[in-house]
């Protein structure tokens, strides 16, 4: 069993897609080990996306992640990291496979509905940062 960190981003929460996304998570065999609805702080978002600090879209992305509450989760499954990234689809919803969450619920590369850890090390770090009780 593997754990990964997931976010339902502000666009999807605002649009009322949280329930559909959580339903899909359970249907695809993930166990939700932890879940909180929170308004992230600027410091949290800047820390979380620090790897992208030099990118041109950084400021816009921080503003977007602060634009409303998000749902943060720890998901468990066999191969959870890859399974969750496959279920989300490509970063750009226009390039995502049919029936993936970003294809269904994302608007564009900035407003793309969900986040998922990209590797075991980042999954561990992200879980530990947001859910120290589950690390
Ligand atoms: N992003 C953006 N513009 C870009 C690339 C990325 O706004 O040109 C945002 C997008 O919301 C993405 C996040 O930055 O989800 C992190 O980018 P990454 O490349 O890590 O994509 P992800 O891991 O989320 O698929
Ligand atoms: Mg990423």
């Amino acid at each position: 069993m593997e754990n990964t960190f997931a976010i339902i981003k502000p666009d999807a929460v605002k649009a009322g897609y949280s329930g559909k996304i959580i339903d899909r998570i359970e249907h695809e065999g993930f166990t939700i080990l932890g879940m909180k609805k929170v308004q992230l702080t600027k410091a949290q978002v800047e820390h979380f996306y620090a790897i992208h600090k030099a990118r041109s879209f950084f400021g816009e992305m921080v503003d977007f992640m602060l634009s409303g509450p998000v749902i943060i989760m720890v998901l468990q499954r066999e191969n959870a990291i890859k399974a969750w990234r496959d279920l989300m689809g490509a970063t750009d919803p226009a390039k995502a496979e049919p029936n993936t969450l970003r294809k269904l619920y994302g608007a564009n590369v900035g407003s793309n509905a969900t986040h998922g850890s990209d590797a075991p090390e980042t999954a561990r770090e992200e879980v530990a940062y947001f859910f120290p009780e589950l690390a």
Side-chain angles (χ1 to χ4, degrees):
M1 282 293 173
E2 186 175 65
N3 293 353
T4 193
F5 176 71
I7 304 181
I8 304 177
K9 292 185 178 182
D11 57 332
V13 172
K14 218 171 281 179
Y17 294 139
S18 309
K20 291 186 196 310
I21 292 171
I22 291 164
D23 186 51
R24 191 72 187 281
I25 286 169
E26 293 191 315
H27 186 78
E28 300 282 346
F30 294 90
T31 300
I32 301 172
L33 293 187
M35 177 160 66
K36 300 178 199 167
K37 185 171 185 178
V38 292
Q39 171 66 52
L40 296 176
T41 66
K42 192 167 191 210
Q44 282 176 318
V45 174
E46 286 180 346
H47 173 84
F48 181 70
Y49 277 131
I51 194 162
H52 297 301
K53 203 145 79 186
R55 310 276 292 273
S56 59
F57 58 82
F58 185 73
E60 220 175 307
M61 183 176 61
V62 171
D63 289 345
F64 165 70
M65 290 301 289
L66 294 174
S67 67
V70 297
I71 295 175
I72 57 175
M73 292 172 286
V74 179
L75 306 181
Q76 183 169 72
R77 216 196 90 152
E78 264 181 46
N79 296 315
I81 296 169
K82 181 176 189 302
W84 173 238
R85 292 209 50 113
D86 287 349
L87 180 56
M88 291 198 299
T91 307
D92 182 351
K95 296 179 184 149
E97 294 294 323
N99 210 30
T100 57
L101 297 173
R102 282 166 162 173
K103 175 63 100 187
L104 291 169
Y105 307 121
N108 55 60
V109 70
S111 298
N112 60 1
T114 55
H115 163 83
S117 309
D118 60 7
E121 187 53 33
T122 47
R124 261 192 301 275
E125 283 171 18
E126 292 172 4
V127 168
Y129 185 67
F130 287 107
F131 290 90
E133 68 275 24
L134 296 178

